[in-house]
Amino acid sequence: MKALTIFGGTGDLTFRKLLPALYNGSVLGAESAEYRVIIIGRREYTSEQYRELARDWVRKFARLPYEDAAFDRFAARVDYFRMDFSDSANYPALDEYYRAQNISEHIFYFAVAPRFFGIIAEGLSHVQGAPQGKVIIEKPFGENLAAAGALNKRLEAIFTSERIYRIDHYLGKEMVRNIETIRFSNPLFTNLWDSRFIECVQISAMEDVGVETRGGYYDGAGALKDMVQNHLFQILSIVAMERPYEFSGADMHAEQLRVLRELRPAGAEPIRDTLLLGQYDDYRTEAQVGSYSQTETYAALRLFIDNDRWRGAPFYIRTGKKLGRREMEVAVIFRRPRPDVAHNVLIIKIQPTEGVYLQFNIQKPGDTDEITQAKMDFCQSCVLENRINTPEAYERLLGACIRGERFWFSQWDQIETGWNYIENLRRLYREDHLPVVSYKSGTPGPLEADALLGRFGHRWFS
Ligand code: BG6
């Protein structure tokens, strides 16, 4: 029998994302429906009690409608195994449990803080059949880059690199996957995709929520580590990469990695022209956040990729919490043929609306020479059928792990390169005594981020 074991089964991620994804998979008969789901946690629950808890979360967060009968069918595959996973003495009992259940094929999901990854992996190394299983881990992959590197070695020594799946849930998003198709299947864009025609690219991930219940984790991370070095660097590298020989597998990773390695080195430009950090005004009163915290909840970056394709076209990135709206998009701003007409703009909308927006110049209707902009707005997610058929990121990624499709996951060298780059920027920012500026919750972020673009003749498109 096959089992998906989730360590950290009573945490936010399991309740909000994993259980709803597994429920959807169960309703749709996805590959994950063939797995028993074993939840490991320290709290005193019986399986029945846990299933009742899960019912509420699924009801609230599953994309497919909740139905009693469908939930009961799903829940019949879910068991709770109580265990302190930080104590190696407890793993023989888990081993016995697996044997009693006749489980021979494993996927382990480490939905816990990275300080537990090593302990769990060591524990599992003594469980029969476990080291031959797959492991899914979530960022952060360690407390800092050095620790993450050491941890990575430890995990690879037990499970081998081929069986470690590092989730970046942005790679499971419909329109992130679509960037390749939009770029490479439309001559209209393929042939114009370089700095001769593109003036700048803007990648924005605006969130309306604050840190909510995750202040403890977030205060040690900040926006750069939480969003930029993983999710937004994945997007940046897909937008900027050369055409991979094949879109799946190693080729694509190699092209993405090349982009990250070609980022203009930190320090080559004055840091104040590269990075701007902000913090929302009531952040320090959030639970588990330090009263004098200097952690950034907002970051804006101006980056260059030093290769032939992109020389001279900046990539602007911004992300932040409590920005008054939830919106994630990639805006490609084309160069103008003359100063008196507007830019052509292509926007790949990632969420909440999924779609593509295209703006171009046309003559105003009537007897006039005036030029105006046509705005074509294609909303993919507005088609009801699409909404029902589009799996959520976690559903997709669980399926990809089961099928062994590694290209849906982050590779260690990508993580290391991005992380290193971000750490260098952060260090330079500190060394230059640049401030983490305050911005008012519910506004689009610090005005200084507008000024950063303004100094170079640009503005955020939306
Ligand atoms: C997570 C971050 O990886 O992504 C969160 O840790 C952030 O801080 C979240 O809110 C955003 O994900 P999504 O799918 O809501 O855009």
Side-chain angles (χ1 to χ4, degrees):
M1 193 183 296
K2 304 176 191 175
L4 167 65
T5 301
I6 303 177
F7 289 87
T10 52
D12 235 41
L13 175 73
T14 305
F15 285 139
R16 283 173 194 264
K17 302 283 188 192
L18 301 180
L19 289 171
L22 289 165
Y23 168 79
N24 295 336
S26 165
V27 173
L28 298 171
E31 291 99 328
S32 62
E34 292 168 20
Y35 283 69
R36 279 208 83 72
V37 178
I38 297 165
I39 303 287
I40 303 218
R42 286 185 256 212
R43 296 192 200 168
E44 295 270 3
Y45 295 128
T46 61
S47 289
E48 287 70 32
Q49 285 169 331
Y50 186 84
R51 290 177 195 140
E52 281 319 302
L53 263 184
R55 188 188 297 274
D56 290 340
W57 290 95
V58 164
R59 197 181 267 134
K60 216 158 142 193
F61 288 105
R63 134 185 106 83
L64 298 179
Y66 168 85
E67 280 172 21
D68 279 336
F71 181 82
D72 291 344
R73 267 196 304 280
F74 163 60
R77 283 192 289 114
V78 178
D79 287 316
Y80 186 79
F81 185 82
R82 190 180 160 265
M83 163 180 176
D84 177 358
F85 49 73
S86 64
D87 184 348
S88 57
N90 294 330
Y91 285 80
L94 182 63
D95 190 11
E96 240 168 71
Y97 171 77
Y98 284 142
R99 286 171 201 256
Q101 301 274 325
N102 236 338
I103 288 166
S104 53
E105 212 179 304
H106 289 281
I107 297 182
F108 300 102
Y109 203 119
F110 293 4
V112 294
R115 65 177 183 281
F116 297 115
F117 289 0
I119 301 169
I120 296 174
E122 297 292 346
L124 288 176
S125 70
H126 302 295
V127 169
Q128 199 193 355
Q132 287 74 45
K134 295 174 181 168
V135 178
I136 305 180
I137 54 177
E138 284 274 344
K139 64 135 224 289
F141 302 106
E143 322 247 284
N144 54 52
L145 183 53
L151 184 58
N152 187 54
K153 281 212 180 94
R154 218 166 142 197
L155 293 183
E156 290 192 351
I158 295 171
F159 294 100
T160 75
S161 61
E162 266 65 62
R163 289 205 292 275
I164 299 172
Y165 290 75
R166 296 174 193 83
I167 279 218
D168 185 316
H169 76 284
Y170 269 56
L171 289 178
K173 289 188 191 279
E174 182 70 21
M175 292 307 289
V176 173
R177 301 308 307 181
N178 223 320
I179 295 173
E180 291 162 21
T181 309
I182 293 169
R183 271 195 65 184
F184 294 110
S185 303
N186 298 296
L188 188 61
F189 302 128
T190 312
N191 294 325
L192 302 183
W193 211 259
D194 63 52
S195 59
R196 284 173 305 158
F197 301 102
I198 292 175
E199 187 165 314
C200 68
V201 176
Q202 302 181 1
I203 300 172
S204 301
M206 325 278 278
E207 293 194 84
D208 52 358
V209 293
V211 293
E212 301 189 296
T213 53
R214 299 162 70 232
Y217 147 74
Y218 194 90
D219 208 36
L224 284 174
K225 273 198 200 163
D226 187 52
M227 290 292 290
V228 178
Q229 81 179 32
N230 37 68
H231 305 323
L232 302 185
F233 271 11
Q234 283 286 353
I235 293 176
L236 168 95
S237 57
I238 296 173
V239 170
M241 70 184 178
E242 296 304 311
R243 187 191 182 98
Y245 184 65
E246 270 183 23
F247 278 99
S248 50
D251 291 340
M252 178 149 163
H253 282 139
E255 291 305 341
Q256 285 185 270
L257 181 61
R258 200 197 312 256
V259 170
L260 296 179
R261 291 195 169 144
E262 286 171 347
L263 282 171
R264 184 167 298 168
E269 299 270 319
I271 190 72
R272 65 180 290 276
D273 292 340
T274 304
L275 182 63
L276 183 275
L277 301 178
Q279 187 185 75
Y280 60 82
D281 49 5
D282 45 355
Y283 173 70
R284 293 177 191 176
T285 61
E286 299 274 18
Q288 295 174 284
V289 166
S291 331
Y292 300 99
S293 172
Q294 284 294 313
T295 299
E296 76 284 358
T297 61
Y298 180 97
L301 297 94
R302 174 174 163 270
L303 302 176
F304 286 93
I305 300 165
D306 282 332
N307 60 21
D308 288 346
R309 182 183 290 278
W310 293 112
R311 196 152 288 126
F315 279 71
Y316 294 112
I317 293 181
R318 70 180 155 162
T319 183
K321 299 214 179 269
K322 289 226 179 163
L323 296 178
R325 63 185 152 129
R326 177 170 185 256
E327 200 170 84
M328 157 95 230
E329 63 184 33
V330 178
V332 182
I333 317 284
F334 290 89
R335 293 191 190 280
R336 293 182 289 181
R338 319 186 294 273
D340 62 323
V341 294
H343 294 276
N344 286 173
V345 180
L346 166 73
I347 300 186
I348 301 171
K349 296 182 181 186
I350 293 168
Q351 66 189 27
T353 309
E354 294 165 352
V356 176
Y357 168 96
L358 186 61
Q359 178 179 299
F360 54 94
N361 296 307
I362 55 166
Q363 191 183 313
K364 255 193 178 169
D367 218 2
T368 165
D369 288 340
E370 257 184 85
I371 292 179
T372 186
Q373 286 87 55
K375 298 176 180 180
M376 297 175 79
D377 207 352
F378 166 63
C379 172
Q380 171 149 302
S381 54
C382 298
V383 185
L384 189 61
E385 200 183 313
N386 283 349
R387 198 172 292 166
I388 291 170
N389 288 339
T390 309
E392 273 168 28
Y394 277 91
E395 282 173 71
R396 220 175 218 158
L397 295 173
L398 284 170
C401 170
I402 292 170
R403 293 190 298 275
E405 293 174 357
R406 299 186 53 78
F407 61 96
W408 290 83
F409 295 84
S410 301
Q411 299 301 292
W412 173 248
D413 42 15
Q414 287 174 308
I415 293 167
E416 199 177 27
T417 309
W419 196 330
N420 205 5
Y421 191 81
I422 287 298
E423 279 200 349
N424 281 335
L425 289 185
R426 192 80 178 80
R427 178 180 50 76
L428 292 171
Y429 200 82
R430 233 183 352 253
E431 285 173 6
D432 259 22
H433 306 290
L434 293 173
V436 177
V437 298
S438 180
Y439 63 96
K440 205 166 155 31
S441 295
T443 65
L447 294 176
E448 289 86 342
D450 300 345
L452 170 65
L453 271 64
R455 291 204 292 280
F456 300 95
H458 293 137
R459 62 175 186 86
W460 297 108
F461 184 76
S462 49

PDB file of all heavy atoms in Angstrom, residues 17 138-139 169-170 173 205 207 209-210 214 217-218 226-227 230-231 321 326 328 351 393-394, ligand 1:
ATOM      1  N   LYS A  17      -4.014  24.183   2.983  1.00  0.00           N
ATOM      2  CA  LYS A  17      -3.619  23.836   1.611  1.00  0.00           C
ATOM      3  C   LYS A  17      -3.647  22.337   1.326  1.00  0.00           C
ATOM      4  O   LYS A  17      -4.193  21.904   0.326  1.00  0.00           O
ATOM      5  CB  LYS A  17      -2.196  24.346   1.322  1.00  0.00           C
ATOM      6  CG  LYS A  17      -2.016  25.833   1.486  1.00  0.00           C
ATOM      7  CD  LYS A  17      -2.583  26.591   0.315  1.00  0.00           C
ATOM      8  CE  LYS A  17      -2.229  28.056   0.371  1.00  0.00           C
ATOM      9  NZ  LYS A  17      -2.975  28.852  -0.568  1.00  0.00           N
ATOM     10  N   GLU A 138       9.239  22.246   2.180  1.00  0.00           N
ATOM     11  CA  GLU A 138       8.761  23.603   1.947  1.00  0.00           C
ATOM     12  C   GLU A 138       9.852  24.581   2.305  1.00  0.00           C
ATOM     13  O   GLU A 138      10.631  24.335   3.216  1.00  0.00           O
ATOM     14  CB  GLU A 138       7.594  23.891   2.904  1.00  0.00           C
ATOM     15  CG  GLU A 138       6.289  23.263   2.523  1.00  0.00           C
ATOM     16  CD  GLU A 138       5.505  24.124   1.552  1.00  0.00           C
ATOM     17  OE1 GLU A 138       5.823  25.318   1.398  1.00  0.00           O
ATOM     18  OE2 GLU A 138       4.563  23.581   0.951  1.00  0.00           O
ATOM     19  N   LYS A 139       9.865  25.722   1.671  1.00  0.00           N
ATOM     20  CA  LYS A 139      10.768  26.764   2.128  1.00  0.00           C
ATOM     21  C   LYS A 139      10.267  27.282   3.482  1.00  0.00           C
ATOM     22  O   LYS A 139       9.075  27.133   3.733  1.00  0.00           O
ATOM     23  CB  LYS A 139      10.829  27.906   1.112  1.00  0.00           C
ATOM     24  CG  LYS A 139       9.494  28.649   0.931  1.00  0.00           C
ATOM     25  CD  LYS A 139       9.691  30.118   0.910  1.00  0.00           C
ATOM     26  CE  LYS A 139       8.717  30.856   1.718  1.00  0.00           C
ATOM     27  NZ  LYS A 139       7.399  31.033   1.444  1.00  0.00           N
ATOM     28  N   HIS A 169       5.265  26.842  -4.502  1.00  0.00           N
ATOM     29  CA  HIS A 169       3.889  26.652  -4.983  1.00  0.00           C
ATOM     30  C   HIS A 169       3.552  27.594  -6.148  1.00  0.00           C
ATOM     31  O   HIS A 169       2.601  27.372  -6.861  1.00  0.00           O
ATOM     32  CB  HIS A 169       2.868  26.724  -3.855  1.00  0.00           C
ATOM     33  CG  HIS A 169       2.570  28.099  -3.357  1.00  0.00           C
ATOM     34  ND1 HIS A 169       3.420  28.784  -2.540  1.00  0.00           N
ATOM     35  CD2 HIS A 169       1.509  28.920  -3.544  1.00  0.00           C
ATOM     36  CE1 HIS A 169       2.894  29.960  -2.261  1.00  0.00           C
ATOM     37  NE2 HIS A 169       1.732  30.077  -2.860  1.00  0.00           N
ATOM     38  N   TYR A 170       4.375  28.643  -6.340  1.00  0.00           N
ATOM     39  CA  TYR A 170       4.128  29.505  -7.501  1.00  0.00           C
ATOM     40  C   TYR A 170       4.314  28.740  -8.810  1.00  0.00           C
ATOM     41  O   TYR A 170       3.690  29.065  -9.813  1.00  0.00           O
ATOM     42  CB  TYR A 170       5.024  30.753  -7.449  1.00  0.00           C
ATOM     43  CG  TYR A 170       4.334  31.881  -6.720  1.00  0.00           C
ATOM     44  CD1 TYR A 170       3.879  31.694  -5.424  1.00  0.00           C
ATOM     45  CD2 TYR A 170       4.105  33.107  -7.329  1.00  0.00           C
ATOM     46  CE1 TYR A 170       3.208  32.703  -4.752  1.00  0.00           C
ATOM     47  CE2 TYR A 170       3.439  34.116  -6.665  1.00  0.00           C
ATOM     48  CZ  TYR A 170       2.990  33.907  -5.377  1.00  0.00           C
ATOM     49  OH  TYR A 170       2.315  34.905  -4.723  1.00  0.00           O
ATOM     50  N   LYS A 173       1.094  27.444 -10.193  1.00  0.00           N
ATOM     51  CA  LYS A 173       0.011  28.372 -10.560  1.00  0.00           C
ATOM     52  C   LYS A 173      -0.192  28.367 -12.073  1.00  0.00           C
ATOM     53  O   LYS A 173       0.776  28.385 -12.834  1.00  0.00           O
ATOM     54  CB  LYS A 173       0.325  29.792 -10.076  1.00  0.00           C
ATOM     55  CG  LYS A 173       0.218  29.923  -8.546  1.00  0.00           C
ATOM     56  CD  LYS A 173       0.345  31.357  -8.111  1.00  0.00           C
ATOM     57  CE  LYS A 173       0.503  31.482  -6.600  1.00  0.00           C
ATOM     58  NZ  LYS A 173      -0.736  31.398  -5.851  1.00  0.00           N
ATOM     59  N   ALA A 205       3.922  41.423  -6.783  1.00  0.00           N
ATOM     60  CA  ALA A 205       3.128  40.495  -5.971  1.00  0.00           C
ATOM     61  C   ALA A 205       2.642  41.266  -4.760  1.00  0.00           C
ATOM     62  O   ALA A 205       3.357  41.414  -3.771  1.00  0.00           O
ATOM     63  CB  ALA A 205       3.979  39.304  -5.550  1.00  0.00           C
ATOM     64  N   GLU A 207       0.073  41.889  -1.674  1.00  0.00           N
ATOM     65  CA  GLU A 207      -0.837  41.130  -0.802  1.00  0.00           C
ATOM     66  C   GLU A 207      -1.638  42.092   0.051  1.00  0.00           C
ATOM     67  O   GLU A 207      -1.115  43.138   0.464  1.00  0.00           O
ATOM     68  CB  GLU A 207      -0.034  40.210   0.103  1.00  0.00           C
ATOM     69  CG  GLU A 207       0.680  39.105  -0.647  1.00  0.00           C
ATOM     70  CD  GLU A 207       1.175  38.035   0.305  1.00  0.00           C
ATOM     71  OE1 GLU A 207       0.392  37.152   0.653  1.00  0.00           O
ATOM     72  OE2 GLU A 207       2.332  38.129   0.727  1.00  0.00           O
ATOM     73  N   VAL A 209      -3.187  40.918   2.886  1.00  0.00           N
ATOM     74  CA  VAL A 209      -3.069  40.453   4.278  1.00  0.00           C
ATOM     75  C   VAL A 209      -1.744  40.885   4.893  1.00  0.00           C
ATOM     76  O   VAL A 209      -0.788  41.203   4.190  1.00  0.00           O
ATOM     77  CB  VAL A 209      -3.169  38.914   4.362  1.00  0.00           C
ATOM     78  CG1 VAL A 209      -4.550  38.422   3.994  1.00  0.00           C
ATOM     79  CG2 VAL A 209      -2.094  38.253   3.504  1.00  0.00           C
ATOM     80  N   GLY A 210      -1.722  40.879   6.236  1.00  0.00           N
ATOM     81  CA  GLY A 210      -0.465  41.107   6.957  1.00  0.00           C
ATOM     82  C   GLY A 210       0.179  39.762   7.252  1.00  0.00           C
ATOM     83  O   GLY A 210      -0.021  38.807   6.488  1.00  0.00           O
ATOM     84  N   ARG A 214       1.589  34.169  11.433  1.00  0.00           N
ATOM     85  CA  ARG A 214       2.937  33.662  11.156  1.00  0.00           C
ATOM     86  C   ARG A 214       4.038  34.643  11.544  1.00  0.00           C
ATOM     87  O   ARG A 214       5.130  34.600  10.991  1.00  0.00           O
ATOM     88  CB  ARG A 214       3.043  33.312   9.679  1.00  0.00           C
ATOM     89  CG  ARG A 214       2.055  32.226   9.272  1.00  0.00           C
ATOM     90  CD  ARG A 214       1.869  32.189   7.780  1.00  0.00           C
ATOM     91  NE  ARG A 214       3.029  31.706   7.058  1.00  0.00           N
ATOM     92  CZ  ARG A 214       3.597  32.342   6.046  1.00  0.00           C
ATOM     93  NH1 ARG A 214       3.122  33.499   5.649  1.00  0.00           N
ATOM     94  NH2 ARG A 214       4.631  31.841   5.425  1.00  0.00           N
ATOM     95  N   TYR A 217       7.618  33.187  12.380  1.00  0.00           N
ATOM     96  CA  TYR A 217       8.417  32.809  11.206  1.00  0.00           C
ATOM     97  C   TYR A 217       8.812  34.051  10.406  1.00  0.00           C
ATOM     98  O   TYR A 217       9.976  34.260  10.046  1.00  0.00           O
ATOM     99  CB  TYR A 217       7.624  31.824  10.322  1.00  0.00           C
ATOM    100  CG  TYR A 217       7.926  31.985   8.843  1.00  0.00           C
ATOM    101  CD1 TYR A 217       9.135  31.527   8.323  1.00  0.00           C
ATOM    102  CD2 TYR A 217       7.037  32.639   7.992  1.00  0.00           C
ATOM    103  CE1 TYR A 217       9.445  31.715   6.975  1.00  0.00           C
ATOM    104  CE2 TYR A 217       7.337  32.837   6.654  1.00  0.00           C
ATOM    105  CZ  TYR A 217       8.543  32.373   6.157  1.00  0.00           C
ATOM    106  OH  TYR A 217       8.844  32.580   4.840  1.00  0.00           O
ATOM    107  N   TYR A 218       7.824  34.912  10.143  1.00  0.00           N
ATOM    108  CA  TYR A 218       8.045  36.006   9.195  1.00  0.00           C
ATOM    109  C   TYR A 218       9.086  36.998   9.705  1.00  0.00           C
ATOM    110  O   TYR A 218       9.892  37.514   8.935  1.00  0.00           O
ATOM    111  CB  TYR A 218       6.712  36.723   8.910  1.00  0.00           C
ATOM    112  CG  TYR A 218       6.802  37.640   7.705  1.00  0.00           C
ATOM    113  CD1 TYR A 218       6.505  37.162   6.442  1.00  0.00           C
ATOM    114  CD2 TYR A 218       7.216  38.959   7.830  1.00  0.00           C
ATOM    115  CE1 TYR A 218       6.619  37.980   5.326  1.00  0.00           C
ATOM    116  CE2 TYR A 218       7.334  39.788   6.720  1.00  0.00           C
ATOM    117  CZ  TYR A 218       7.027  39.291   5.477  1.00  0.00           C
ATOM    118  OH  TYR A 218       7.144  40.085   4.373  1.00  0.00           O
ATOM    119  N   ASP A 226      11.038  35.633   1.993  1.00  0.00           N
ATOM    120  CA  ASP A 226       9.735  34.975   1.958  1.00  0.00           C
ATOM    121  C   ASP A 226       9.180  34.903   0.534  1.00  0.00           C
ATOM    122  O   ASP A 226       8.558  33.910   0.158  1.00  0.00           O
ATOM    123  CB  ASP A 226       8.765  35.755   2.855  1.00  0.00           C
ATOM    124  CG  ASP A 226       7.426  35.061   3.011  1.00  0.00           C
ATOM    125  OD1 ASP A 226       7.426  33.871   3.366  1.00  0.00           O
ATOM    126  OD2 ASP A 226       6.382  35.708   2.751  1.00  0.00           O
ATOM    127  N   MET A 227       9.398  35.925  -0.241  1.00  0.00           N
ATOM    128  CA  MET A 227       8.771  35.990  -1.571  1.00  0.00           C
ATOM    129  C   MET A 227       9.764  36.127  -2.722  1.00  0.00           C
ATOM    130  O   MET A 227       9.581  35.538  -3.780  1.00  0.00           O
ATOM    131  CB  MET A 227       7.815  37.196  -1.635  1.00  0.00           C
ATOM    132  CG  MET A 227       6.568  37.080  -0.815  1.00  0.00           C
ATOM    133  SD  MET A 227       5.404  35.831  -1.411  1.00  0.00           S
ATOM    134  CE  MET A 227       4.814  36.568  -2.936  1.00  0.00           C
ATOM    135  N   ASN A 230      12.590  33.167  -3.816  1.00  0.00           N
ATOM    136  CA  ASN A 230      12.022  31.914  -4.320  1.00  0.00           C
ATOM    137  C   ASN A 230      10.978  32.190  -5.400  1.00  0.00           C
ATOM    138  O   ASN A 230      11.265  32.106  -6.589  1.00  0.00           O
ATOM    139  CB  ASN A 230      11.421  31.110  -3.169  1.00  0.00           C
ATOM    140  CG  ASN A 230      10.756  32.028  -2.151  1.00  0.00           C
ATOM    141  OD1 ASN A 230       9.741  32.649  -2.430  1.00  0.00           O
ATOM    142  ND2 ASN A 230      11.349  32.151  -0.978  1.00  0.00           N
ATOM    143  N   HIS A 231       9.758  32.585  -4.970  1.00  0.00           N
ATOM    144  CA  HIS A 231       8.655  32.719  -5.928  1.00  0.00           C
ATOM    145  C   HIS A 231       8.983  33.709  -7.050  1.00  0.00           C
ATOM    146  O   HIS A 231       8.797  33.424  -8.226  1.00  0.00           O
ATOM    147  CB  HIS A 231       7.392  33.228  -5.230  1.00  0.00           C
ATOM    148  CG  HIS A 231       6.965  32.391  -4.056  1.00  0.00           C
ATOM    149  ND1 HIS A 231       7.079  31.030  -4.038  1.00  0.00           N
ATOM    150  CD2 HIS A 231       6.410  32.731  -2.855  1.00  0.00           C
ATOM    151  CE1 HIS A 231       6.618  30.563  -2.884  1.00  0.00           C
ATOM    152  NE2 HIS A 231       6.214  31.578  -2.149  1.00  0.00           N
ATOM    153  N   LYS A 321       3.247  43.148   2.025  1.00  0.00           N
ATOM    154  CA  LYS A 321       2.019  42.802   2.747  1.00  0.00           C
ATOM    155  C   LYS A 321       1.280  44.073   3.104  1.00  0.00           C
ATOM    156  O   LYS A 321       1.859  45.152   3.170  1.00  0.00           O
ATOM    157  CB  LYS A 321       2.363  42.003   4.001  1.00  0.00           C
ATOM    158  CG  LYS A 321       3.073  40.687   3.670  1.00  0.00           C
ATOM    159  CD  LYS A 321       2.716  39.597   4.635  1.00  0.00           C
ATOM    160  CE  LYS A 321       3.396  38.281   4.293  1.00  0.00           C
ATOM    161  NZ  LYS A 321       2.601  37.422   3.405  1.00  0.00           N
ATOM    162  N   ARG A 326      -4.893  42.305  -3.351  1.00  0.00           N
ATOM    163  CA  ARG A 326      -4.127  41.093  -3.656  1.00  0.00           C
ATOM    164  C   ARG A 326      -4.044  41.004  -5.166  1.00  0.00           C
ATOM    165  O   ARG A 326      -5.051  40.846  -5.846  1.00  0.00           O
ATOM    166  CB  ARG A 326      -4.843  39.871  -3.091  1.00  0.00           C
ATOM    167  CG  ARG A 326      -4.159  38.557  -3.418  1.00  0.00           C
ATOM    168  CD  ARG A 326      -4.773  37.406  -2.636  1.00  0.00           C
ATOM    169  NE  ARG A 326      -4.051  36.168  -2.869  1.00  0.00           N
ATOM    170  CZ  ARG A 326      -4.497  35.196  -3.650  1.00  0.00           C
ATOM    171  NH1 ARG A 326      -5.664  35.306  -4.266  1.00  0.00           N
ATOM    172  NH2 ARG A 326      -3.784  34.089  -3.819  1.00  0.00           N
ATOM    173  N   MET A 328      -1.199  39.809  -8.376  1.00  0.00           N
ATOM    174  CA  MET A 328       0.135  39.335  -8.794  1.00  0.00           C
ATOM    175  C   MET A 328       0.160  39.342 -10.309  1.00  0.00           C
ATOM    176  O   MET A 328      -0.726  38.775 -10.952  1.00  0.00           O
ATOM    177  CB  MET A 328       0.274  37.928  -8.217  1.00  0.00           C
ATOM    178  CG  MET A 328       1.238  37.040  -8.903  1.00  0.00           C
ATOM    179  SD  MET A 328       2.815  37.103  -8.083  1.00  0.00           S
ATOM    180  CE  MET A 328       3.888  37.399  -9.456  1.00  0.00           C
ATOM    181  N   GLN A 351      -2.800  36.270 -10.458  1.00  0.00           N
ATOM    182  CA  GLN A 351      -3.902  36.145  -9.504  1.00  0.00           C
ATOM    183  C   GLN A 351      -4.297  37.509  -8.978  1.00  0.00           C
ATOM    184  O   GLN A 351      -3.482  38.430  -9.054  1.00  0.00           O
ATOM    185  CB  GLN A 351      -3.518  35.218  -8.340  1.00  0.00           C
ATOM    186  CG  GLN A 351      -2.407  35.778  -7.480  1.00  0.00           C
ATOM    187  CD  GLN A 351      -1.862  34.793  -6.468  1.00  0.00           C
ATOM    188  OE1 GLN A 351      -1.907  33.597  -6.658  1.00  0.00           O
ATOM    189  NE2 GLN A 351      -1.335  35.301  -5.387  1.00  0.00           N
ATOM    190  N   ALA A 393      -2.513  25.041  -6.987  1.00  0.00           N
ATOM    191  CA  ALA A 393      -1.082  24.744  -7.063  1.00  0.00           C
ATOM    192  C   ALA A 393      -0.724  23.458  -6.304  1.00  0.00           C
ATOM    193  O   ALA A 393      -0.005  22.609  -6.828  1.00  0.00           O
ATOM    194  CB  ALA A 393      -0.298  25.934  -6.516  1.00  0.00           C
ATOM    195  N   TYR A 394      -1.239  23.303  -5.104  1.00  0.00           N
ATOM    196  CA  TYR A 394      -0.814  22.135  -4.312  1.00  0.00           C
ATOM    197  C   TYR A 394      -1.344  20.826  -4.893  1.00  0.00           C
ATOM    198  O   TYR A 394      -0.691  19.791  -4.810  1.00  0.00           O
ATOM    199  CB  TYR A 394      -1.218  22.300  -2.843  1.00  0.00           C
ATOM    200  CG  TYR A 394      -0.207  23.136  -2.097  1.00  0.00           C
ATOM    201  CD1 TYR A 394      -0.345  24.512  -2.010  1.00  0.00           C
ATOM    202  CD2 TYR A 394       0.917  22.560  -1.520  1.00  0.00           C
ATOM    203  CE1 TYR A 394       0.597  25.289  -1.354  1.00  0.00           C
ATOM    204  CE2 TYR A 394       1.872  23.318  -0.861  1.00  0.00           C
ATOM    205  CZ  TYR A 394       1.705  24.684  -0.779  1.00  0.00           C
ATOM    206  OH  TYR A 394       2.650  25.442  -0.138  1.00  0.00           O
TER     207      TYR A 394
HETATM  208  C1  BG6 B   1       4.104  32.033   0.838  1.00  0.00           C
HETATM  209  C2  BG6 B   1       4.623  33.089   1.763  1.00  0.00           C
HETATM  210  O1  BG6 B   1       5.149  31.274   0.306  1.00  0.00           O
HETATM  211  O2  BG6 B   1       3.390  32.651  -0.218  1.00  0.00           O
HETATM  212  C3  BG6 B   1       3.500  33.941   2.294  1.00  0.00           C
HETATM  213  O3  BG6 B   1       5.309  32.485   2.838  1.00  0.00           O
HETATM  214  C4  BG6 B   1       2.687  34.502   1.156  1.00  0.00           C
HETATM  215  O4  BG6 B   1       3.975  34.981   3.129  1.00  0.00           O
HETATM  216  C5  BG6 B   1       2.273  33.397   0.214  1.00  0.00           C
HETATM  217  O5  BG6 B   1       1.537  35.133   1.696  1.00  0.00           O
HETATM  218  C6  BG6 B   1       1.592  33.952  -1.007  1.00  0.00           C
HETATM  219  O6  BG6 B   1       1.051  32.900  -1.725  1.00  0.00           O
HETATM  220  P1  BG6 B   1      -0.206  33.123  -2.663  1.00  0.00           P
HETATM  221  O7  BG6 B   1      -0.392  31.797  -3.324  1.00  0.00           O
HETATM  222  O8  BG6 B   1      -1.347  33.524  -1.773  1.00  0.00           O
HETATM  223  O9  BG6 B   1       0.185  34.197  -3.594  1.00  0.00           O
END
